[in-house]
Amino acid sequence: MKSRVLLALLVSCTPTAPGSSDASGGEPTSTGSGSTSGHVSETSSDPTTSTTTSDATTTTSGPGTSGTTGPVAVCGDGMRQPGEFCFAPGVHLPTGPRPVAVAVADLDLDGDEDLLLADFDAGDLTIQTGDGHGQFTAGPDLPAFLHPRDVIAGDVDGDGRLDLVFADPGVGLVGVYRHVGPGLVYDPPQPVKAGSEPRALAAADLDDDGLLDLAVADESGDAVLVFLNSGGGEFADPVVYPVGDEPYDVIVADVDADGRLDLVSADQNQARVTILLSDGPGTFVDAGQRFVNPEPRRLVAADLNLDGLLDLATASFTADHLSILPGLGGAEFGEYIPILLGEGLYAVIGADLDGDGPPELVAVDHTRGELVVITGLGVQDIVDIARFDVGAGPMDLAAADFDDDGALDIVTADAFGAGATVLLADP
């Protein structure tokens, strides 16, 4: 599949305090998370892997100059070049009526990456087991409490097997499926009270005790909840950290480079992100807010220009641009930089798809049903934007090497496509 290559000029802007939107924060009906998107701190893009390119011509432009390069590499020829991206046609995996979140992990410990999806309408978690060659087989469906909205995989009980954690905002609970084995066998989900409307999850060892802790974005509670792991898959009562209006996402990252993990929330009804800096094992202090695009949904931290400082990027569902907060060090960030992409962006991750070092920003366009790859960030004034078709209404995505060829592939959770789309890199 060839990319459709566009161009975008990075323009710095000085934002003014935006007014609050009237977004309800509920599930969209016709318009449909980074971590993650995984949202587990151990996940990262591998700088030694890549995907490749199209044989389209690419227009380049800098201050006072413009021009067109010659044809670039041909998809499928096995040649990888920086700044070029190719994927085989997307493969649809039926997973349920409305998948809204996806995570990637080796759930069955066979050495191959598997898929874990949260299906809002079906009210369950679905598993697709990978074979290491880019093919997937439907695994068990595991019931949630009502309508799961986010899901991650991590070893919360320290037994070496990956457990499943999901956010169920309609009942104010986080659920923990402990992996008891063999295969994909789990205990019934353990309910954990998590504020009033837990929307998004992140997991990391926040207090340096070797156990996986949880951070939860409580959307209607305007807070991030920190659950410290007390051992055996049990969690202490949460510590509540107030953030902005309607936090829609939360990530874990060392934004001030002091060796301790911090938290960042995307506050969708305030057009801001809130930074919570670690001030000791498992405790945090509010370091203020930064303006971003209106209604930020998902966010990611990545060193986009390889200057050793983490930058932040947010996807906005209603604004016509993605925003980047360039890191300045010491948890300080410059004025946000908009990249015009049109309305409908829902989730964004960082991944070095072409293997040239700097990570690309990779987003899903919920309105158009597309994967969007933004490259050239931080290294030139003009960035390239490539788009690839996926299923209808994508709401989340993740990157991993599904076929063991050394190149990062992509999976999207297509909320209005009743499944996932797998895009295998096609060097």
Side-chain angles (χ1 to χ4, degrees), residues 1-403:
M1 181 192 299
K2 298 179 182 180
S3 63
R4 299 187 295 281
V5 180
L6 308 174
L7 291 176
L9 177 63
L10 288 179
V11 180
S12 178
C13 71
T14 303
T16 58
S20 297
S21 76
D22 58 358
S24 67
E27 289 303 309
T29 55
S30 64
T31 52
S33 212
S35 49
T36 92
S37 57
H39 281 68
V40 179
S41 65
E42 288 78 8
T43 60
S44 62
S45 58
D46 183 349
T48 65
T49 63
S50 67
T51 60
T52 56
T53 67
S54 75
D55 57 359
T57 60
T58 303
T59 303
T60 62
S61 178
T65 65
S66 64
T68 302
T69 65
V72 295
V74 177
C75 294
D77 67 353
M79 301 293 292
R80 300 186 299 174
Q81 295 187 29
E84 300 168 341
F85 309 95
C86 280
F87 293 99
V91 175
H92 173 75
L93 300 177
T95 62
R98 196 178 182 191
V100 294
V102 61
V104 175
D106 182 9
L107 300 176
D108 53 8
L109 302 179
D110 66 351
D112 301 319
E113 301 285 12
D114 309 308
L115 307 180
L116 173 65
L117 296 103
D119 194 290
F120 186 86
D121 284 357
D124 60 21
L125 311 181
T126 63
I127 293 174
Q128 295 272 335
T129 59
D131 66 356
H133 301 287
Q135 304 296 314
F136 293 88
T137 302
D141 292 344
L142 304 171
F145 302 126
L146 185 62
H147 295 301
R149 186 57 187 80
D150 200 9
V151 65
I152 58 177
D155 183 8
V156 300
D157 56 4
D159 67 353
R161 294 177 290 202
L162 292 180
D163 310 300
L164 314 180
V165 185
F166 62 93
D168 209 321
V171 290
L173 295 173
V174 164
V176 180
Y177 268 108
R178 292 181 57 192
H179 190 177
V180 295
L184 297 173
V185 178
Y186 300 86
D187 273 345
Q190 170 191 348
V192 179
K193 181 61 179 172
S196 53
E197 193 178 1
R199 165 69 65 170
L201 303 165
D205 181 8
L206 300 176
D207 56 358
D208 299 324
D209 64 353
L211 301 174
L212 200 63
D213 309 304
L214 299 178
V216 180
D218 181 3
E219 184 178 6
S220 60
D222 298 338
V224 168
L225 312 181
V226 173
F227 292 85
L228 296 181
N229 196 324
S230 53
E234 302 291 332
F235 294 92
D237 291 339
V239 179
V240 179
Y241 294 93
V243 293
D245 194 3
E246 294 187 6
Y248 210 85
D249 196 13
V250 61
I251 61 171
V252 178
D254 182 7
V255 298
D256 57 357
D258 67 350
R260 298 182 297 196
L261 293 176
D262 311 303
L263 304 174
V264 186
S265 68
D267 308 328
Q268 70 141 345
N269 210 29
Q270 210 170 12
R272 300 177 185 178
V273 297
T274 298
I275 298 173
L276 300 173
L277 292 181
S278 173
D279 67 346
T283 60
F284 299 87
V285 60
D286 189 342
Q289 296 179 313
R290 310 293 187 271
F291 289 116
V292 292
N293 42 2
E295 290 199 39
R297 295 297 173 99
R298 292 288 202 179
L299 73 159
V300 66
D303 183 2
L304 299 175
N305 57 357
L306 299 186
D307 64 353
L309 304 173
L310 283 182
D311 312 297
L312 298 176
T314 62
S316 171
F317 186 62
T318 58
D320 62 359
H321 59 276
L322 177 147
S323 68
I324 297 174
L325 285 172
L328 303 178
E332 296 296 328
F333 294 87
E335 298 170 355
Y336 91 75
I337 300 169
I339 301 180
L340 298 180
L341 296 170
E343 294 184 0
L345 296 185
Y346 214 95
V348 61
I349 62 174
D352 182 12
L353 297 182
D354 58 357
D356 65 346
E360 283 70 49
L361 287 179
V362 189
V364 286
D365 188 323
H366 177 84
T367 302
R368 295 176 176 83
E370 293 177 336
L371 180 81
V372 185
V373 179
I374 305 104
T375 186
L377 297 163
V379 295
Q380 56 192 42
D381 290 330
I382 297 294
V383 300
D384 291 338
I385 301 169
R387 293 178 177 266
F388 302 86
D389 292 329
V390 293
M395 290 180 65
D396 200 11
L397 75 163
D401 184 2
F402 297 133
D403 53 3

